Amino acid sequence: MTLLQDSARTRRRRLGVASAAAGLLAALLAAGPASATPDPGDGNKAPKSVSRTVEKQAEAAIAAGDIPGQDEVVHSANIEHLTNIPKDALPGTNSDLAFQGKYAFAGNYDGFRIFDISDPKAPKTVAQVLCPGSQNDITVSGNLLFLSTDSSRSDNSCASTTQPATEKSSWEGMKVFDISDKRNPKYVAAVETACGSHTHTLVPEKKNVYVYVSSYSPSATFPDCQPPHDGISVIKVPRDAPEKAAVVGFPVLFPGEGPDGGGNPGGPTNPGVSKTTGCHDITVLPSKDLAAGACMGDGILFSIKDPEHPKVIDQVQDNVNFAFWHSATFNQKANKVVFTDELGGGGAATCNAAVGPDRGADGIYDIVGKGDQRKLVFKSYFKIPRHQADTENCVAHNGSLIPVKGKDIMVQAWYQGGVSVWDFTDSAQPKEIGYFERGPLSTDAIRTGGSWSAYYYNGYIYSNDIAKGFDVLKLSDRRTDPAQRVRMDELNVQTQPDYFA
């Protein structure tokens, strides 16, 4: 473990020769925007070979100390790496995280794992549930756990196998588990949804839990995923009878004429931008009856006063720098939204000089106006200030607020770019204030890895690393120390709490 403060590694890295960097960018753009999960299967993504030139560049950067060595852990002085728990019985890709009391719930393409985090320095595995179905986006509410399935399966059981989406009998959607006994979760319900469930977001109420299901990429050849797919599925789950869970609506968020609805048309009209055929992820702020949707080629702000009938307030596009609107985070006052751009679908090296600071980044938007007249106004981009090797998949990904009253600070995953803590209190001048990362998994190929989700919960940062497992970090900084006094009983990051209500 190496502690860095003012060394060359903390400054912006200039890796590679201009010709190689330009070639990488050209290839990325020519390929067009990838989906958020380039490989829709259940297994780990296959390594992508790189040229000998790129391999030599990565090796030279390590030798020069410009980037960490393979698997070497480095971090800023205000972050301590407490522990890492490697993957165990679930070898697939690690995905999202949720929290409840003393437990952390970690999604994996092969199922999910429950950790007892009573002692954050020594988490203990409570249960591992085998239930394949990418990407197993995960949330919890009370005694219920929800799991997204976004790969075509032979049936809705946890023993299902891969089956083509062109077959009518194939299944994708939401699974519901009873977790009243954390050591023995019980599968209690399944709800099929159009185009599956890539991600989902909870809108919890006392008697029911509403689930907003985000999915995309319809095809005329898919019986259960027909175009236009311009909305989201809304599932209603009775807490006392989860087996009665059912779809209660499909609100159209992008009305329009023609087979593709009214979202961003993508290329060739907007080259290098995803066509909007649904949403990738939604974050709700129930205390303000607001939601923000990251919807492929569009970012939207909408009202959820009536959770079964959400209403779009504003819709924005960035056809210059945003390829794939991936996720959204409100600040505490609900007068800003941070949207992420998952350029390259999470499988490409975009944290380099060739791609630059404005693509594969965060976009910070102020919310101005009142009520249904509110508008999203772009202010700036944020991207980690450390170039990565061209063998490291790196792009903006999942993060959460760090609850500091009067400040806008969040922690965020960047795949092999690691974990970044950054301040966007000044929307136009965001800045990084801490980081944690590992060196490249490989210098001879792009091997998918790094932090999928990095979230702050009850005084610690928890990161689910695709390849390396479950990391726990301790952040000690006068700017964020007040957050240690904030305690939550439950946290699903895409259902943002009002920390200071």
Side-chain angles (χ1 to χ4, degrees), residues 6-24:
D6 297 319
S7 74
R9 292 182 190 170
T10 65
R11 298 191 292 271
R12 182 173 293 279
R13 296 168 181 151
R14 301 294 178 185
L15 303 181
V17 296
S19 59
L24 175 71

Side-chain angles (χ1 to χ4, degrees), residues 354-378:
V355 175
D358 297 340
R359 306 193 74 240
D362 297 314
I364 304 166
Y365 285 75
D366 282 357
I367 302 174
V368 300
K370 295 181 179 180
D372 290 350
Q373 302 305 310
R374 283 172 285 190
K375 298 291 183 183
L376 293 164
V377 177
F378 173 77

Side-chain angles (χ1 to χ4, degrees), residues 229-424:
H229 184 73
D230 48 14
I232 58 174
S233 297
V234 178
I235 298 174
K236 184 178 182 179
V237 185
R239 290 188 184 277
D240 294 338
E243 69 278 3
K244 295 181 180 179
V247 173
V248 293
F250 187 86
V252 174
L253 302 178
F254 302 98
E257 300 296 329
D260 297 320
N264 197 317
T269 303
N270 297 316
V273 176
S274 291
K275 178 172 70 174
T276 298
T277 60
C279 287
H280 178 275
D281 209 353
I282 291 169
T283 293
V284 298
L285 193 56
S287 64
K288 301 290 194 299
D289 290 327
L290 273 181
C295 302
M296 304 182 74
D298 294 86
I300 59 173
L301 183 71
F302 54 102
S303 167
I304 58 169
K305 287 182 180 179
D306 179 351
E308 291 190 25
H309 303 95
K311 176 184 177 182
V312 175
I313 296 172
D314 195 24
Q315 176 181 352
V316 292
Q317 298 175 357
D318 179 348
N319 294 320
V320 175
N321 289 316
F322 259 50
F324 191 96
W325 296 67
H326 175 275
S327 52
T329 303
F330 287 101
N331 69 336
Q332 179 61 31
K333 292 183 178 179
N335 59 8
K336 298 177 189 176
V337 182
V338 174
F339 289 104
T340 65
D341 171 26
E342 196 184 36
L343 173 68
T350 73
C351 298
N352 50 35
V355 175
D358 297 340
R359 306 193 74 240
D362 297 314
I364 304 166
Y365 285 75
D366 282 357
I367 302 174
V368 300
K370 295 181 179 180
D372 290 350
Q373 302 305 310
R374 283 172 285 190
K375 298 291 183 183
L376 293 164
V377 177
F378 173 77
K379 300 301 290 186
S380 68
Y381 298 106
F382 171 79
K383 195 170 183 179
I384 56 171
R386 295 172 309 287
H387 286 168
Q388 307 295 305
D390 286 346
T391 60
E392 295 180 272
N393 62 303
C394 177
V395 76
H397 214 236
N398 293 346
S400 76
L401 284 185
I402 297 177
V404 179
K405 199 166 189 177
K407 298 287 185 181
D408 297 327
I409 301 175
M410 68 179 291
V411 59
Q412 185 176 3
W414 289 79
Y415 289 113
Q416 285 196 67
V419 175
S420 177
V421 178
W422 61 288
D423 186 326
F424 62 104

Side-chain angles (χ1 to χ4, degrees), residues 437-461:
E437 69 167 297
R438 290 181 171 90
L441 287 171
S442 170
T443 59
D444 61 8
I446 298 179
R447 301 179 186 275
T448 302
S451 180
W452 177 292
S453 298
Y455 299 147
Y456 185 93
Y457 178 70
N458 290 353
Y460 296 88
I461 293 170

